[in-house]
Amino acid sequence: MAQPKRKTESRRAARRQAGRRVPGSNVAGRLVIMLALVAAVVFGVAVFFKVSRVEVQGNSLYSAEQVVQASGIEVGDNLLTLNKATVAGNIITQLPYVEKVSVGRSMPDAVILEVQESTARFAVMSDTNVIWLINSSGKALERYDGLTDITSPEAPTDEIPTEEAAAETPAGETPADPAQPEEAPADGETDSTADEAAADTAEDSADDAPAQTAARETGDAASPLAQTGVPYILGVTVQNPTAGAQVTAVNQQALDAALAVLAEFDGTGLLGHVASINVEKDYNIVVQYDDQYEIQLGGTEKLDYKVQYLLAILEQLSEYQAGTIDLTLTGDDVARFHPRA
Protein backbone atom coordinates (compact mmCIF):
# COMPACT_ATOMS: atom_id res chain seq x y z
CA MET A 1 0.00 0.00 0.00
CA ALA A 2 2.98 2.28 0.41
CA GLN A 3 3.79 2.37 -3.31
CA PRO A 4 0.53 3.95 -4.50
CA LYS A 5 0.93 6.58 -1.82
CA ARG A 6 4.38 7.48 -3.14
CA LYS A 7 3.01 7.80 -6.67
CA THR A 8 0.29 10.11 -5.47
CA GLU A 9 2.79 12.37 -3.73
CA SER A 10 5.03 12.39 -6.81
CA ARG A 11 2.14 13.47 -8.97
CA ARG A 12 1.27 16.25 -6.54
CA ALA A 13 4.88 17.51 -6.51
CA ALA A 14 4.95 17.49 -10.31
CA ARG A 15 1.75 19.52 -10.44
CA ARG A 16 3.17 22.01 -7.94
CA GLN A 17 6.28 22.48 -10.05
CA ALA A 18 4.18 22.92 -13.16
CA GLY A 19 2.11 25.50 -11.33
CA ARG A 20 5.24 27.41 -10.44
CA ARG A 21 6.38 27.52 -14.08
CA VAL A 22 3.11 28.97 -15.37
CA PRO A 23 3.50 32.46 -13.78
CA GLY A 24 7.01 32.70 -15.15
CA SER A 25 5.77 31.97 -18.61
CA ASN A 26 3.05 34.61 -18.27
CA VAL A 27 5.54 37.32 -17.19
CA ALA A 28 7.79 36.57 -20.12
CA GLY A 29 4.86 36.76 -22.47
CA ARG A 30 3.74 40.04 -21.03
CA LEU A 31 7.21 41.51 -21.40
CA VAL A 32 7.28 40.51 -25.02
CA ILE A 33 3.90 42.17 -25.58
CA MET A 34 4.97 45.36 -23.78
CA LEU A 35 8.17 45.58 -25.79
CA ALA A 36 6.18 45.13 -28.96
CA LEU A 37 3.80 47.93 -27.94
CA VAL A 38 6.69 50.26 -27.05
CA ALA A 39 8.32 49.53 -30.37
CA ALA A 40 5.06 50.26 -32.14
CA VAL A 41 4.66 53.58 -30.27
CA VAL A 42 8.23 54.64 -31.00
CA PHE A 43 7.80 53.71 -34.64
CA GLY A 44 4.52 55.63 -34.80
CA VAL A 45 6.04 58.70 -33.16
CA ALA A 46 9.03 58.62 -35.49
CA VAL A 47 6.88 58.21 -38.58
CA PHE A 48 3.70 60.17 -37.91
CA PHE A 49 4.47 63.00 -35.39
CA LYS A 50 6.82 65.15 -37.41
CA VAL A 51 6.81 68.95 -37.54
CA SER A 52 5.44 70.17 -40.82
CA ARG A 53 4.49 73.75 -39.87
CA VAL A 54 5.35 76.35 -37.21
CA GLU A 55 2.87 79.08 -36.30
CA VAL A 56 4.09 82.32 -34.70
CA GLN A 57 1.80 84.54 -32.61
CA GLY A 58 2.26 87.89 -30.85
CA ASN A 59 5.13 89.11 -33.03
CA SER A 60 5.30 92.64 -34.40
CA LEU A 61 8.94 93.71 -34.28
CA TYR A 62 10.22 90.47 -35.77
CA SER A 63 8.82 88.55 -38.72
CA ALA A 64 7.52 85.02 -38.31
CA GLU A 65 10.45 83.79 -40.39
CA GLN A 66 12.93 85.41 -38.00
CA VAL A 67 11.28 83.80 -34.98
CA VAL A 68 11.18 80.35 -36.58
CA GLN A 69 14.79 80.60 -37.69
CA ALA A 70 15.90 81.64 -34.20
CA SER A 71 13.95 78.77 -32.60
CA GLY A 72 16.06 76.14 -34.30
CA ILE A 73 12.96 74.11 -35.25
CA GLU A 74 13.11 72.47 -38.65
CA VAL A 75 10.53 70.66 -40.73
CA GLY A 76 10.76 66.97 -39.99
CA ASP A 77 11.76 67.37 -36.33
CA ASN A 78 9.97 65.07 -33.91
CA LEU A 79 7.02 66.91 -32.43
CA LEU A 80 6.78 64.96 -29.18
CA THR A 81 10.47 65.04 -28.30
CA LEU A 82 10.81 68.78 -28.98
CA ASN A 83 12.58 70.50 -26.06
CA LYS A 84 10.44 73.53 -25.23
CA ALA A 85 12.99 75.15 -22.92
CA THR A 86 15.69 74.96 -25.57
CA VAL A 87 13.42 76.44 -28.24
CA ALA A 88 12.38 79.36 -25.99
CA GLY A 89 15.97 79.99 -24.93
CA ASN A 90 17.15 80.09 -28.53
CA ILE A 91 14.58 82.73 -29.45
CA ILE A 92 15.19 84.96 -26.42
CA THR A 93 18.96 84.81 -26.90
CA GLN A 94 18.95 85.62 -30.61
CA LEU A 95 16.09 88.14 -30.66
CA PRO A 96 16.73 90.69 -27.88
CA TYR A 97 13.32 92.37 -28.08
CA VAL A 98 11.57 89.08 -27.24
CA GLU A 99 10.91 88.93 -23.49
CA LYS A 100 8.95 85.69 -23.14
CA VAL A 101 8.18 82.67 -25.32
CA SER A 102 5.47 80.04 -24.96
CA VAL A 103 5.97 76.83 -26.96
CA GLY A 104 2.93 74.66 -27.68
CA ARG A 105 2.16 71.57 -29.73
CA SER A 106 -0.81 71.18 -32.03
CA MET A 107 -1.27 67.55 -32.97
CA PRO A 108 -0.38 65.95 -35.19
CA ASP A 109 2.27 68.11 -36.88
CA ALA A 110 2.34 71.77 -35.74
CA VAL A 111 4.30 73.87 -33.25
CA ILE A 112 2.86 77.15 -31.94
CA LEU A 113 5.31 79.84 -30.80
CA GLU A 114 3.71 82.67 -28.85
CA VAL A 115 6.15 85.51 -28.24
CA GLN A 116 5.89 88.52 -25.98
CA GLU A 117 8.02 91.41 -27.17
CA SER A 118 9.39 94.16 -24.98
CA THR A 119 10.06 97.79 -25.82
CA ALA A 120 12.89 100.15 -25.03
CA ARG A 121 12.35 101.91 -21.71
CA PHE A 122 15.36 104.23 -21.69
CA ALA A 123 18.64 105.00 -23.42
CA VAL A 124 22.02 105.14 -21.73
CA MET A 125 25.68 105.58 -22.62
CA SER A 126 28.09 102.64 -22.51
CA ASP A 127 31.70 102.70 -21.41
CA THR A 128 32.66 102.59 -25.10
CA ASN A 129 30.80 105.86 -25.75
CA VAL A 130 27.88 104.21 -27.55
CA ILE A 131 24.19 104.75 -26.84
CA TRP A 132 22.22 101.60 -25.96
CA LEU A 133 18.47 101.07 -25.69
CA ILE A 134 17.43 99.17 -22.54
CA ASN A 135 14.09 97.60 -21.59
CA SER A 136 12.29 97.73 -18.25
CA SER A 137 13.97 94.58 -16.94
CA GLY A 138 17.45 95.98 -17.63
CA LYS A 139 18.14 93.94 -20.76
CA ALA A 140 20.16 95.55 -23.53
CA LEU A 141 18.09 95.61 -26.71
CA GLU A 142 20.32 97.24 -29.29
CA ARG A 143 22.89 99.94 -29.81
CA TYR A 144 21.53 103.17 -31.17
CA ASP A 145 23.85 103.86 -34.08
CA GLY A 146 22.21 107.18 -34.78
CA LEU A 147 24.20 108.65 -31.90
CA THR A 148 27.43 106.68 -31.96
CA ASP A 149 29.37 109.90 -32.59
CA ILE A 150 27.60 111.82 -29.87
CA THR A 151 29.78 114.24 -27.94
CA SER A 152 29.99 114.24 -24.17
CA PRO A 153 28.27 117.03 -22.20
CA GLU A 154 31.68 118.46 -21.34
CA ALA A 155 32.94 118.54 -24.93
CA PRO A 156 33.22 121.99 -26.51
CA THR A 157 30.83 122.79 -29.33
CA ASP A 158 32.51 125.79 -30.94
CA GLU A 159 30.89 124.99 -34.26
CA ILE A 160 27.48 126.05 -32.97
CA PRO A 161 27.07 129.62 -31.60
CA THR A 162 25.62 129.61 -28.09
CA GLU A 163 23.50 132.09 -26.23
CA GLU A 164 26.41 132.69 -23.83
CA ALA A 165 28.63 133.68 -26.75
CA ALA A 166 25.99 136.08 -28.01
CA ALA A 167 25.69 137.60 -24.54
CA GLU A 168 29.46 138.26 -24.40
CA THR A 169 29.35 140.32 -27.61
CA PRO A 170 29.90 144.01 -26.73
CA ALA A 171 26.92 146.30 -27.11
CA GLY A 172 26.69 147.94 -30.48
CA GLU A 173 28.66 145.23 -32.23
CA THR A 174 27.14 142.59 -34.45
CA PRO A 175 28.72 139.11 -34.26
CA ALA A 176 30.15 137.85 -37.49
CA ASP A 177 27.81 135.52 -39.34
CA PRO A 178 29.72 132.84 -41.30
CA ALA A 179 26.66 132.25 -43.46
CA GLN A 180 26.77 135.81 -44.81
CA PRO A 181 29.14 136.68 -47.68
CA GLU A 182 31.79 139.31 -46.97
CA GLU A 183 31.00 141.22 -50.15
CA ALA A 184 27.69 142.32 -51.55
CA PRO A 185 26.52 140.34 -54.59
CA ALA A 186 27.27 141.68 -58.02
CA ASP A 187 24.64 143.73 -59.79
CA GLY A 188 23.75 140.88 -62.11
CA GLU A 189 23.22 138.38 -59.30
CA THR A 190 19.61 137.74 -58.36
CA ASP A 191 18.16 137.40 -54.87
CA SER A 192 17.30 133.78 -55.58
CA THR A 193 20.95 133.00 -56.27
CA ALA A 194 21.93 134.56 -52.96
CA ASP A 195 19.24 132.58 -51.18
CA GLU A 196 20.50 129.34 -52.72
CA ALA A 197 24.04 130.14 -51.64
CA ALA A 198 22.88 130.84 -48.08
CA ALA A 199 20.85 127.63 -48.03
CA ASP A 200 23.86 125.59 -49.22
CA THR A 201 26.03 127.17 -46.55
CA ALA A 202 23.49 126.42 -43.83
CA GLU A 203 23.14 122.83 -45.03
CA ASP A 204 26.91 122.33 -44.95
CA SER A 205 27.03 123.76 -41.44
CA ALA A 206 24.30 121.39 -40.29
CA ASP A 207 26.15 118.40 -41.74
CA ASP A 208 29.37 119.37 -39.98
CA ALA A 209 27.73 120.00 -36.60
CA PRO A 210 28.09 117.02 -34.23
CA ALA A 211 25.14 115.56 -32.36
CA GLN A 212 25.19 116.73 -28.77
CA THR A 213 24.31 115.11 -25.50
CA ALA A 214 23.77 118.64 -24.27
CA ALA A 215 20.82 118.88 -26.64
CA ARG A 216 19.13 116.10 -24.69
CA GLU A 217 19.89 117.88 -21.42
CA THR A 218 17.80 120.79 -22.62
CA GLY A 219 15.10 118.53 -24.01
CA ASP A 220 15.63 119.46 -27.62
CA ALA A 221 12.76 117.69 -29.39
CA ALA A 222 14.69 117.82 -32.67
CA SER A 223 17.52 115.72 -31.24
CA PRO A 224 18.00 112.35 -32.99
CA LEU A 225 17.42 110.50 -29.72
CA ALA A 226 14.01 112.14 -29.38
CA GLN A 227 12.89 110.00 -32.30
CA THR A 228 13.19 106.88 -30.13
CA GLY A 229 10.55 108.18 -27.74
CA VAL A 230 12.49 107.02 -24.68
CA PRO A 231 14.22 109.07 -21.97
CA TYR A 232 17.97 109.42 -22.08
CA ILE A 233 19.58 108.81 -18.68
CA LEU A 234 22.48 111.15 -17.99
CA GLY A 235 25.06 110.37 -15.34
CA VAL A 236 24.98 106.60 -15.85
CA THR A 237 27.47 104.43 -17.75
CA VAL A 238 26.81 100.75 -18.50
CA GLN A 239 29.63 98.27 -18.85
CA ASN A 240 30.21 96.67 -22.26
CA PRO A 241 26.58 95.73 -22.96
CA THR A 242 25.60 92.84 -25.21
CA ALA A 243 22.27 92.63 -27.01
CA GLY A 244 19.99 90.28 -25.10
CA ALA A 245 22.01 90.37 -21.86
CA GLN A 246 21.37 92.21 -18.59
CA VAL A 247 23.32 95.43 -18.21
CA THR A 248 25.48 96.40 -15.28
CA ALA A 249 26.27 99.99 -14.49
CA VAL A 250 29.56 101.48 -13.41
CA ASN A 251 27.55 103.56 -10.94
CA GLN A 252 24.67 101.26 -10.05
CA GLN A 253 23.27 103.62 -7.41
CA ALA A 254 22.67 106.30 -10.03
CA LEU A 255 20.97 103.79 -12.34
CA ASP A 256 18.73 102.62 -9.49
CA ALA A 257 17.70 106.21 -8.86
CA ALA A 258 16.79 106.69 -12.53
CA LEU A 259 14.82 103.43 -12.55
CA ALA A 260 12.93 104.58 -9.46
CA VAL A 261 11.90 107.76 -11.27
CA LEU A 262 10.80 105.79 -14.33
CA ALA A 263 8.76 103.44 -12.15
CA GLU A 264 6.95 106.32 -10.43
CA PHE A 265 6.27 108.09 -13.74
CA ASP A 266 4.93 104.91 -15.33
CA GLY A 267 1.17 104.96 -15.76
CA THR A 268 0.87 108.69 -15.08
CA GLY A 269 1.13 109.88 -18.68
CA LEU A 270 4.38 111.70 -17.92
CA LEU A 271 6.82 109.27 -19.50
CA GLY A 272 5.92 110.27 -23.04
CA HIS A 273 7.12 113.80 -22.24
CA VAL A 274 10.37 112.91 -20.47
CA ALA A 275 13.35 113.75 -22.67
CA SER A 276 16.06 113.01 -20.14
CA ILE A 277 16.72 112.10 -16.51
CA ASN A 278 19.94 113.45 -15.05
CA VAL A 279 21.13 111.38 -12.08
CA GLU A 280 24.75 112.46 -12.12
CA LYS A 281 24.00 113.48 -8.55
CA ASP A 282 21.40 111.05 -7.23
CA TYR A 283 20.49 113.54 -4.51
CA ASN A 284 19.74 116.17 -7.14
CA ILE A 285 17.76 114.41 -9.89
CA VAL A 286 16.71 116.63 -12.79
CA VAL A 287 14.03 115.60 -15.29
CA GLN A 288 13.64 117.39 -18.59
CA TYR A 289 9.95 117.52 -19.57
CA ASP A 290 9.80 118.09 -23.33
CA ASP A 291 11.53 121.42 -23.96
CA GLN A 292 9.14 123.18 -21.63
CA TYR A 293 9.97 122.31 -18.03
CA GLU A 294 13.05 121.41 -16.03
CA ILE A 295 11.84 119.42 -13.04
CA GLN A 296 14.11 119.33 -10.00
CA LEU A 297 13.23 116.29 -7.88
CA GLY A 298 16.05 116.27 -5.36
CA GLY A 299 16.59 112.70 -4.13
CA THR A 300 14.35 109.64 -4.34
CA GLU A 301 12.78 110.17 -0.93
CA LYS A 302 9.04 110.92 -1.03
CA LEU A 303 9.18 110.25 -4.76
CA ASP A 304 5.58 109.07 -4.99
CA TYR A 305 4.41 112.24 -3.25
CA LYS A 306 6.55 114.42 -5.52
CA VAL A 307 5.09 112.83 -8.64
CA GLN A 308 1.53 113.40 -7.46
CA TYR A 309 2.47 116.97 -6.58
CA LEU A 310 3.93 117.39 -10.07
CA LEU A 311 0.72 116.20 -11.71
CA ALA A 312 -1.25 118.78 -9.74
CA ILE A 313 1.17 121.55 -10.75
CA LEU A 314 1.05 120.64 -14.44
CA GLU A 315 -2.74 120.89 -14.39
CA GLN A 316 -2.49 124.46 -13.13
CA LEU A 317 0.21 125.67 -15.50
CA SER A 318 -0.68 127.02 -18.91
CA GLU A 319 0.60 125.20 -21.97
CA TYR A 320 2.34 128.44 -22.92
CA GLN A 321 4.34 128.62 -19.69
CA ALA A 322 7.87 127.25 -19.42
CA GLY A 323 10.47 127.19 -16.70
CA THR A 324 11.71 125.24 -13.69
CA ILE A 325 9.53 123.26 -11.31
CA ASP A 326 11.31 122.88 -7.99
CA LEU A 327 10.11 119.74 -6.21
CA THR A 328 13.08 119.33 -3.89
CA LEU A 329 10.68 120.25 -1.06
CA THR A 330 13.46 121.62 1.06
CA GLY A 331 12.45 123.33 4.26
CA ASP A 332 8.72 123.93 3.98
CA ASP A 333 7.73 121.02 1.66
CA VAL A 334 6.33 123.47 -0.88
CA ALA A 335 6.93 123.22 -4.64
CA ARG A 336 7.92 126.31 -6.57
CA PHE A 337 7.70 127.32 -10.21
CA HIS A 338 10.29 129.65 -11.71
CA PRO A 339 9.22 130.95 -15.14
CA ARG A 340 11.80 130.94 -17.88
CA ALA A 341 13.18 134.37 -18.51
Side-chain angles (χ1 to χ4, degrees), residues 321-341:
Q321 290 180 287
T324 301
I325 301 175
D326 185 351
L327 279 166
T328 55
L329 305 182
T330 54
D332 51 8
D333 284 352
V334 175
R336 292 175 173 80
F337 174 68
H338 306 286
R340 185 181 298 170

Side-chain angles (χ1 to χ4, degrees), residues 103-127:
V103 183
R105 300 183 180 94
S106 179
M107 296 299 181
D109 60 354
V111 177
I112 299 176
L113 302 176
E114 185 174 355
V115 300
Q116 180 180 329
E117 297 172 338
S118 62
T119 57
R121 186 69 173 271
F122 61 91
V124 68
M125 181 73 75
S126 74
D127 52 1

Side-chain angles (χ1 to χ4, degrees), residues 62 88 91-92 95-102 114-119 135-141 244 246:
Y62 298 108
I91 296 173
I92 292 175
L95 305 179
Y97 277 91
V98 175
E99 190 70 12
K100 296 179 181 179
V101 179
S102 175
E114 185 174 355
V115 300
Q116 180 180 329
E117 297 172 338
S118 62
T119 57
N135 74 356
S136 58
S137 65
K139 183 172 71 170
L141 299 178
Q246 295 294 117

Side-chain angles (χ1 to χ4, degrees), residues 155-180:
T157 55
D158 296 336
E159 295 86 353
I160 304 177
T162 61
E163 294 181 2
E164 288 79 8
E168 293 175 359
T169 303
E173 294 185 20
T174 302
D177 186 353
Q180 296 294 331

